[in-house]
Amino acid sequence: MPIGWYLVLSALIFCIGAAGVLTRPNPLVILLCLELMLNAANLSLVAFSRMWGGEDGQVFALIVMVVAACEVTVGLGLIVAIYRRQMAINVDELNELHG
Amino acid sequence: MSQVLFFIAAIGALTGAIGVVMLRNPFYSVLALVVHLIALAALFLLLRAEFVAAAQVVVYAGAVMVLYVFVVAYIGGADEPLTRGGAALKILGPLFALAVAIELCIAVLGSALKGISGKGAPYVPGFGTPAHIGTLFLTTYLFPFEAASLVLLVSAVGAVVLARRRRGLEDIDEREERRFHPARPAYTGTMAESTGHVPMQPPESAGNGNGHAPEPEPEPEPVGEPQ
């Protein structure tokens, strides 16, 4: 398949993830949609690596996976801490810092 | 053959992504993300990135998703409304995403770049194998590799600090229980206590000298003589 198809697929996945981040109220699902966006970036990085013929893009994709794992760990820790304080798990009601 | 596999994997990835966004129950969203990740690993294999595909399945669909499933089971995955905010965000959010998608598709498909219309560089044996990736990680990208390990360590410690059990957040009977275990200064608890494990013997000499004890008058216990 031409590389352009992979890029189009990556763009579609990214936009689905962006729509989820913008519309879903649950921070857990927002984290899942962030994963979607990072994976879309990974797909285009690997596609460019195939196009270029070097493995550097795959190394970038692995680093992105590491950063995504870190983000998930800290985000889920925050969600558990929010749940422990018996606050609503809803990004519209967690607005004490909105100034 | 590779086109058929591409379309199957692409439909799987798109279905999983739409499922993450559109399913009401967060638990089913996590399962849809697993489907999406496995389809994406198939796409990585089509792009000859076998090590990335294996890492995707093992690390993402294995470890990270297990973390998600545990947290969803802990906080209770109930059905919930799909959208939030006012009517403006409800309309504008998907509209914005659609606009970005159309724009990116026009940019990719309408570009005159020759590289993205071909099938890529000629395949050399050994492309994308762990040996090549490892060589790159230990030579050219040594600093990002070490920085990534440091970031992983910091985030693991941060998650433990964030999610552990803290004073002042427990309910009444736990607070009653805590009267027999005077408070320590912050950040000196053990990992066993952070998971809620209460030691059998009450520590006798803990908490003196810092003035953080929640009870001002000591317990009227007959035998407790701090050594």
Side-chain angles (χ1 to χ4, degrees):
Chain A
M1 291 300 292
I3 300 295
W5 284 87
Y6 290 97
L7 298 182
V8 169
L9 178 65
S10 152
L12 289 179
I13 294 173
F14 183 87
C15 294
I16 291 171
V21 169
L22 285 178
T23 53
R24 290 301 295 258
N26 191 338
L28 234 154
V29 184
I30 289 179
L31 276 181
L32 287 175
C33 294
L34 279 178
E35 297 283 320
L36 281 183
M37 295 166 78
L38 288 167
N39 274 310
N42 262 350
L43 180 60
S44 60
L45 280 175
V46 174
F48 283 134
S49 150
R50 176 83 186 94
M51 181 182 100
W52 187 249
E55 281 109 342
D56 303 37
Q58 301 182 15
V59 170
F60 292 164
L62 286 170
I63 298 281
V64 169
M65 282 167 65
V66 167
V67 173
C70 296
E71 164 249 328
V72 163
T73 322
V74 176
L76 290 180
L78 275 176
I79 290 173
V80 169
I82 290 169
Y83 181 74
R84 283 255 176 84
R85 304 196 63 156
Q86 281 135 17
M87 297 160 78
I89 304 190
N90 186 329
V91 289
D92 282 331
E93 299 177 25
L94 298 170
N95 55 3
E96 271 179 38
L97 285 179
H98 73 125
Chain B
M1 185 62 194
S2 91
Q3 296 187 356
V4 176
L5 283 180
F6 172 80
F7 280 110
I8 291 174
I11 288 171
L14 281 180
T15 311
I18 291 174
V20 171
V21 179
M22 298 297 289
L23 286 173
R24 289 178 180 274
N25 196 327
F27 191 75
Y28 293 143
S29 291
V30 174
L31 295 186
L33 190 65
V34 172
V35 172
H36 167 82
L37 292 174
I38 291 175
L40 215 58
L43 285 173
F44 287 163
L45 275 183
L46 281 178
L47 286 168
R48 314 255 183 197
E50 39 192 88
F51 181 65
V52 182
Q56 174 99 1
V57 171
V58 172
V59 174
Y60 249 123
V64 175
M65 288 303 118
V66 168
L67 199 62
Y68 267 113
V69 168
F70 270 119
V71 172
V72 171
Y74 179 64
I75 70 174
D79 283 1
E80 57 179 21
L82 269 182
T83 56
R84 64 181 159 99
L89 192 60
K90 218 171 282 183
I91 305 286
L92 283 181
L95 207 63
F96 167 76
L98 191 67
V100 175
I102 291 174
E103 188 179 356
L104 284 174
C105 286
I106 289 174
V108 170
L109 293 179
S111 83
L113 296 175
K114 295 222 173 47
I116 63 172
S117 56
K119 289 193 177 183
Y123 174 67
V124 290
F127 178 76
T129 52
H132 282 209
I133 303 278
T135 308
L136 272 180
F137 260 132
L138 290 181
T139 54
T140 315
Y141 297 105
L142 182 62
F143 180 70
F145 183 61
E146 298 293 335
S149 65
L150 200 64
V151 168
L152 272 176
L153 175 68
V154 168
S155 79
V157 174
V160 170
V161 169
L162 276 175
R164 76 194 180 119
R165 196 170 286 247
R166 260 168 284 194
R167 263 177 299 142
L169 303 183
E170 63 274 291
D171 40 3
I172 297 301
D173 45 344
E174 284 185 41
R175 203 168 292 166
E176 285 297 312
E177 186 181 301
R178 190 161 302 265
R179 291 171 74 214
F180 299 102
H181 306 288
R184 288 193 185 91
Y187 304 113
T188 58
T190 62
M191 289 177 80
E193 280 172 326
S194 73
T195 59
H197 175 73
V198 179
M200 299 303 285
Q201 308 286 336
E204 290 188 318
S205 64
N208 48 1
N210 52 22
H212 278 269
E215 294 296 316
E217 50 98 16
E219 302 292 327
E221 53 184 8
V223 289
E225 192 63 37
Q227 65 268 28

